[in-house]
Amino acid sequence: MPLTVVLHGPAGVGKTTLAKKWMVDWTQDNHAKTFNSTFYLSCKELNHKGECSFADLLSKNWPDLQDAVPEILTQAQKILFIIDGFEELRVPSEALIHDMCCDWQKQKPVPVLLGSLLKRKMLPKATLLITTRPGALRELGLLVEQPFFIEIEGFLELDRKAYFLKHFEEEAQALRAFDLMKSNAALFHLGSAPAVCWIVCTCMKLQMEKGEDPAPTCQTITSLFLHFLCSQFTSPPGSCPGPFLQVPVTALCLLAAEGIWTQTSMFDGEDLERLGVKESDFHPFLDKNILQKGKDCEGCYSFIHLSVQQFLAALFYVLEREEEEDGDSCRWDIGGVQKLLSKEERLKNPSLTHVGYFLFGLLNEKRAGELETTFGCQVSRKVKQELLEFRVKSNKNKRLSSVTDMKEVLYCLYESQEEQLVKNAMSYVKEISIHLTNTFEMMQSSFCLKHCENLQKISLQVEKGIFLENDTESELDAQVERSQCDHRSLPLWTDLCSVFSSNKNLSFLDVSQSFLSHSSVRILCEQITRVTCHLQKVVIKNISPSDAYRDLCLAFIGKKTLTHLILEGDVHTDKMLLLLLCEMLKHSRCNLQYLRLGSCCDAAQKWDDSSLALGINQSLRCLDLTASELLDEGVKLLCTTLRHPKCFLQKLSLENCHLTEACCKELSSTLIVNQRLTYLCLANNKLGDGGVKLLCEGLSYPECQLQTLVLWHCNITRRGCKLISKLLQGDSSLTNLDLGLNPIATGLWFLCEALKKPNCNLKYLGSSASKNVPGNTIGSK
């Protein structure tokens, strides 16, 4: 099969440069043995060409070949076509698939000709080298068959660092600037493009030369790009901004917005004429290298980088414009703010997402003032209300539990750096799920959460690599480098955790699947122990280091507000953890009502102190020991506590605790003595019919008040059903019974007979493959 190679990567990382280098190598005979002919086709430039034949398309840049084209095309297997910038093709989504042409002499629109080449309807034996941005990979994948993908990453971290060191005369300034860019993950990601590194260096170098601190500028991408733009046109002190800049900046922003919506980055004279702008308007920006003239396309213009175009497109929405003449806006292919922020549009055109981020960033009053001072133009404040109403208040009746949606909201609000806007936007949010993958996201989250006054529940997940203090597997082997990383992350973590003690409405904290460190856990515990922390429900699941469970339990001792606690994780061998839990339960200020220790304890001997604690504690109503290796011996110790007159437990789950018939006699006697216990789950234990017989003895006593019994997957057969049927026909208190996932076979008949009896109190019987008994989880309401 002919080879198809796809070079993909973000804007400005060198895909075009690499493709052109291939052309240069070919002209120097480096690849001449492989290919007789190589053609470079720029989608960006070809967008401006009308209908033509494929032969005309090839001879456009090589007129000397016009007569030779037919002969060249007969040897397609010796031809390389370089199709540069596939994402630039102006064509409706998926339209390329339905309109194909196999005749290279037939006149067709350029996208149809290129689509036919990609689909191999035309010159199927040719070799193809295609460059594209990631956003167009799906569309390209529908056209090409079995492509070989190569990701172009651009500047790696060491390359970026080397660039900074070369740009600045002083090494200290270069390293300071580089660290500031690295502290902003979004900005650092953009830095893979050399053009962005140039923008960042130019901006920060100018600030340092003036004796200014560049740190605030690097807080957001918007502030950096705005400062870069304004610094290129700063008026001398005491002078007014030149009125000549108002028209040019408006024209530039119009061009940028039109290009974003039409997914175009190169513009010709026809585009300018249609938009009603003049070439002379662009001179100030051409001089500053913000806009560039096309090297291979005369009379064409493009922006220095896609991110600059996105920023200027966002600026289009906030600049006050004079009343447009009739028909002006009709000539523009630019959507409104609501369309810009719609998920449907952003899926079709990923650049709109970044325009939205910049738009929120431009809502900042200080930045608006900087724009007005530099360009002498008016910034509209109306768009702020429009954004607030659509972006955030449109979700007022929805729970923002989607991590992806919430990340985007937090990004937008952080970009604005407007505290009042954040308060207004987050005023209705009561639940939030945050997945932290880097320190920049931590910064965004803490900034927004501090203004989320009505927040009641936080679900938090921290990825590996944010805290490196205990990360022995990290590539950063040097202790110094690890401490430097934590030096950046711990202050941000402290800021985030302060929400737990400063927000009086926050009552539920869930920290799951998280990689923490000793220092970060200590900071979390410090906030939890504060009097102003009003947490009532806490869930801790699968976190590291394992010592974190101990530290948190220590923090919970004497915590009067805490009523629900769930601890799950691979710490079943930690005896100290169980001792700390006992201390918590025995404390006079303990108000814990629900405790779940999923796979957190296993050895029976550890239950000596626990049994004592349960006898002293008078607040605990629900105990869930699911998946703990309690064994029969552990249950016997537990039953001693349950029979204590001061034990107030009402619900107990011993699901999957490796129990057998041997513990059922103790459980049976406990059901007679303890009249407060109304729920018992023994699911997924090998109790068998013998265990059922022993349980039924206790359940048959009038003193037994148990209402719900869960026995799914307990190896109960027809014989066990017969025993249960006899129990139900008596004066049993059971109202809910689950026998699902048991080989009961015809035993169901006995159960049905019992249900017919008038004195049977059973209201729900589960016997299918499911386990959906009302209240079958002791945490349900």
Side-chain angles (χ1 to χ4, degrees):
M1 177 176 285
L3 184 63
T4 300
V5 179
V6 177
L7 306 181
H8 65 96
V13 295
K15 301 184 296 295
T16 298
T17 302
L18 191 58
K20 288 184 175 180
K21 185 180 182 300
W22 231 99
M23 285 288 291
V24 172
D25 287 349
W26 177 78
T27 59
Q28 295 174 351
D29 291 334
N30 292 351
H31 307 297
K33 292 180 181 178
T34 309
F35 303 107
N36 291 339
S37 306
T38 299
F39 294 95
Y40 174 80
L41 302 172
S42 169
C43 297
K44 189 186 295 186
E45 296 168 17
L46 292 175
N47 272 329
H48 304 279
K49 188 172 176 61
E51 283 197 11
C52 64
S53 69
F54 193 70
D56 294 336
L57 195 67
L58 298 182
S59 60
K60 172 182 174 287
N61 291 326
W62 302 278
D64 296 340
L65 293 176
Q66 190 163 8
D67 296 332
V69 164
E71 184 182 345
I72 291 171
L73 296 182
T74 59
Q75 301 180 54
Q77 70 276 8
K78 298 289 286 183
I79 301 175
L80 169 66
F81 288 104
I82 298 174
I83 302 172
D84 188 24
F86 171 77
E87 74 284 346
E88 294 278 352
L89 274 182
R90 291 184 186 177
V91 61
S93 180
E94 299 185 14
L96 290 175
I97 304 170
H98 308 296
D99 194 0
M100 291 289 144
C101 174
C102 57
D103 185 354
W104 49 266
Q105 293 179 311
K106 195 171 183 179
Q107 299 250 337
K108 285 283 186 178
V110 169
V112 173
L113 296 175
L114 292 181
S116 302
L117 181 65
L118 293 169
K119 195 71 175 171
R120 296 197 177 278
K121 297 296 181 184
M122 190 183 298
L123 306 175
K125 294 182 179 180
T127 301
L128 306 178
L129 176 63
I130 308 158
T131 74
T132 186
R133 292 177 197 153
L137 280 175
R138 179 187 171 276
E139 189 76 14
L140 181 60
L142 297 174
L143 292 168
V144 297
E145 293 182 12
Q146 298 183 16
F148 182 72
F149 290 101
I150 300 175
E151 183 179 2
I152 308 300
E153 296 180 332
F155 273 1
L156 301 178
E157 182 172 340
L158 289 175
D159 300 322
R160 285 168 240 188
K161 192 171 186 178
Y163 187 97
F164 275 66
L165 288 167
K166 189 175 180 180
H167 192 92
F168 287 83
E169 288 84 9
E170 295 183 25
E171 183 179 336
Q173 287 188 341
L175 295 176
R176 163 89 168 132
F178 179 75
D179 284 341
L180 285 172
M181 183 176 80
K182 196 174 178 181
S183 68
N184 185 325
L187 183 60
F188 192 65
H189 176 72
L190 281 177
S192 62
V196 174
C197 281
W198 175 78
I199 290 170
V200 175
C201 287
T202 301
C203 183
M204 285 202 266
K205 186 178 182 182
L206 193 60
Q207 281 192 283
M208 289 179 181
E209 286 173 353
K210 292 180 179 179
E212 299 173 2
D213 181 10
T217 304
C218 288
Q219 268 191 316
T220 68
I221 300 180
T222 308
S223 58
L224 187 129
F225 275 69
L226 178 65
H227 197 83
F228 166 76
L229 181 66
C230 292
S231 66
Q232 303 302 302
F233 301 99
T234 304
S235 303
S239 64
C240 296
F244 67 90
L245 285 174
Q246 295 179 28
V247 173
V249 77
T250 304
L252 190 71
C253 293
L254 173 61
L255 189 71
E258 168 84 9
I260 290 295
W261 279 98
T262 58
Q263 300 190 56
T264 304
S265 62
M266 183 166 281
F267 311 89
D268 61 10
E270 289 183 12
D271 295 320
L272 305 189
E273 186 178 345
R274 179 171 51 81
L275 295 172
V277 298
K278 302 173 184 176
E279 289 188 40
S280 58
D281 291 338
F282 298 137
H283 288 165
F285 302 101
L286 287 166
D287 294 341
K288 300 294 184 180
N289 207 30
I290 293 167
L291 194 68
Q292 298 175 328
K293 285 187 177 181
K295 295 177 182 177
D296 303 315
C297 184
E298 193 174 342
C300 292
Y301 300 91
S302 62
F303 292 89
I304 183 176
H305 189 260
L306 177 63
S307 57
V308 173
Q309 185 178 347
Q310 292 165 348
F311 171 77
L312 292 167
L315 192 52
F316 168 82
Y317 288 94
V318 301
L319 289 181
E320 288 275 15
R321 294 186 297 277
E322 295 179 5
E323 288 296 321
E324 293 126 8
E325 296 179 12
D326 292 340
D328 269 4
S329 57
C330 297
R331 297 200 303 266
W332 305 345
D333 192 3
I334 301 173
V337 171
Q338 293 194 14
K339 193 175 181 181
L340 169 71
L341 298 175
S342 73
K343 187 171 284 188
E344 183 183 354
E345 291 295 329
R346 288 182 291 119
L347 284 171
K348 290 190 292 186
N349 186 351
S351 276
L352 295 178
T353 299
H354 299 282
V355 175
Y357 295 156
F358 280 126
L359 188 52
F360 268 88
L362 291 169
L363 299 182
N364 185 282
E365 288 294 328
K366 186 178 178 182
R367 294 172 194 160
E370 193 174 352
L371 273 171
E372 291 174 343
T373 302
T374 304
F375 296 103
C377 53
Q378 290 297 309
V379 174
S380 171
R381 267 65 173 179
K382 294 177 184 177
V383 73
K384 181 183 288 189
Q385 192 59 33
E386 193 176 356
L387 278 172
L388 184 61
E389 287 175 2
F390 181 81
R391 186 77 187 104
V392 188
K393 289 190 177 179
S394 62
N395 293 315
K396 191 168 184 178
N397 297 319
K398 301 176 186 176
R399 290 171 59 186
L400 277 174
S401 55
S402 165
V403 173
T404 305
D405 288 346
M406 181 48 68
K407 262 190 181 179
E408 201 163 89
V409 170
L410 296 179
Y411 191 125
C412 289
L413 294 174
Y414 175 81
E415 199 69 22
S416 75
Q417 290 294 299
E418 277 284 314
E419 293 187 5
Q420 191 56 50
L421 174 68
V422 179
K423 282 183 181 178
N424 294 339
M426 303 293 282
S427 60
Y428 68 92
V429 177
K430 294 184 178 179
E431 291 188 21
I432 191 169
S433 295
I434 298 173
H435 182 187
L436 300 175
T437 60
N438 55 58
T439 53
F440 187 59
E441 289 176 353
M442 200 186 298
M443 192 186 300
Q444 293 171 347
S445 300
S446 61
F447 176 77
C448 295
L449 290 178
K450 283 188 286 189
H451 304 295
C452 206
E453 296 173 351
N454 296 314
L455 189 65
Q456 296 174 8
K457 178 181 177 180
I458 294 180
S459 297
L460 194 60
Q461 182 179 349
V462 182
E463 279 295 336
K464 190 173 185 178
I466 293 181
F467 302 111
L468 298 176
E469 176 188 320
N470 309 106
D471 191 358
T472 55
E473 297 178 7
S474 171
E475 292 180 5
L476 299 175
D477 294 322
Q479 181 63 37
V480 176
E481 290 188 76
R482 287 204 295 272
S483 64
Q484 284 177 347
C485 183
D486 281 351
H487 180 71
R488 287 192 294 267
S489 59
L490 290 177
L492 296 172
W493 177 251
T494 303
D495 208 28
L496 176 63
C497 291
S498 67
V499 176
F500 305 143
S501 60
S502 61
N503 190 324
K504 62 181 180 181
N505 293 311
L506 189 62
S507 60
F508 197 137
L509 173 63
D510 181 344
V511 184
S512 301
Q513 313 298 332
S514 293
F515 295 87
L516 304 177
S517 64
H518 294 308
S519 298
S520 58
V521 171
R522 186 182 68 250
I523 291 167
L524 175 59
C525 292
E526 284 173 1
Q527 296 298 326
I528 288 174
T529 54
R530 293 195 177 188
V531 179
T532 51
C533 174
H534 301 291
L535 288 175
Q536 298 173 17
K537 299 180 180 181
V538 177
V539 178
I540 307 295
K541 285 185 181 180
N542 301 321
I543 67 170
S544 64
S546 56
D547 292 353
Y549 289 88
R550 293 187 196 175
D551 295 336
L552 286 163
C553 281
L554 194 60
F556 295 144
I557 295 176
K559 191 69 184 174
K560 192 175 182 179
T561 59
L562 189 67
T563 58
H564 288 66
L565 177 61
I566 295 176
L567 298 176
E568 290 187 17
D570 189 20
V571 287
H572 49 271
T573 58
D574 192 345
K575 186 175 182 179
M576 180 59 70
L577 173 62
L578 205 56
L579 292 173
L580 288 169
L581 281 168
C582 294
E583 290 303 311
M584 181 176 70
L585 290 169
K586 289 189 286 185
H587 199 280
S588 59
R589 291 170 60 85
C590 178
N591 283 316
L592 199 66
Q593 298 171 19
Y594 176 97
L595 176 61
R596 173 167 180 163
L597 302 175
S599 66
C600 279
C601 50
D602 56 4
Q605 59 267 29
K606 295 178 186 175
W607 279 95
D608 292 332
D609 290 327
S610 304
S611 299
L612 178 63
L614 290 171
I616 295 172
N617 182 283
Q618 297 185 18
S619 64
L620 196 66
R621 297 293 180 268
C622 308
L623 178 61
D624 187 345
L625 300 175
T626 297
S628 296
E629 293 186 27
L630 198 59
L631 306 178
D632 296 327
E633 290 303 311
V635 170
K636 290 174 184 178
L637 287 169
L638 182 60
C639 285
T640 304
T641 304
L642 291 172
R643 291 194 290 267
H644 196 282
K646 289 188 178 181
C647 179
F648 291 88
L649 273 183
Q650 297 173 1
K651 295 183 178 183
L652 176 65
S653 178
L654 301 175
E655 179 181 336
N656 191 27
C657 286
H658 303 269
L659 309 182
T660 68
E661 176 186 340
C663 70
C664 290
K665 187 173 183 179
E666 288 288 340
L667 283 169
S668 182
S669 63
T670 300
L671 294 175
I672 301 169
V673 176
N674 188 325
Q675 297 180 15
R676 296 187 179 96
L677 199 65
T678 59
Y679 177 104
L680 178 61
C681 176
L682 297 171
N684 203 20
N685 288 297
K686 295 179 180 179
L687 305 182
D689 295 329
V692 169
K693 181 181 179 181
L694 292 169
L695 289 172
C696 285
E697 290 176 5
L699 289 166
S700 64
Y701 277 74
E703 291 85 358
C704 176
Q705 299 299 309
L706 197 71
Q707 297 174 14
T708 300
L709 179 61
V710 182
L711 295 173
W712 64 266
H713 201 229
C714 285
N715 202 28
I716 299 170
T717 68
R718 180 176 180 274
R719 179 169 166 266
C721 289
K722 191 173 182 180
L723 295 167
I724 294 171
S725 175
K726 184 179 179 181
L727 168 72
L728 295 175
Q729 292 178 54
D731 193 20
S732 170
S733 60
L734 280 181
T735 58
N736 293 281
L737 176 64
D738 186 358
L739 295 171
L741 298 177
N742 282 298
I744 59 176
T746 56
L748 190 61
W749 182 86
F750 293 111
L751 298 172
C752 291
E753 286 299 306
L755 291 172
K756 294 176 185 177
K757 303 298 179 183
N759 58 340
C760 178
N761 294 318
L762 205 65
K763 295 178 181 178
Y764 182 93
L765 174 64
S767 59
S768 65
S770 65
K771 50 178 180 178
N772 296 321
V773 178
N776 77 321
T777 54
I778 62 178
S780 62
K781 296 179 182 178

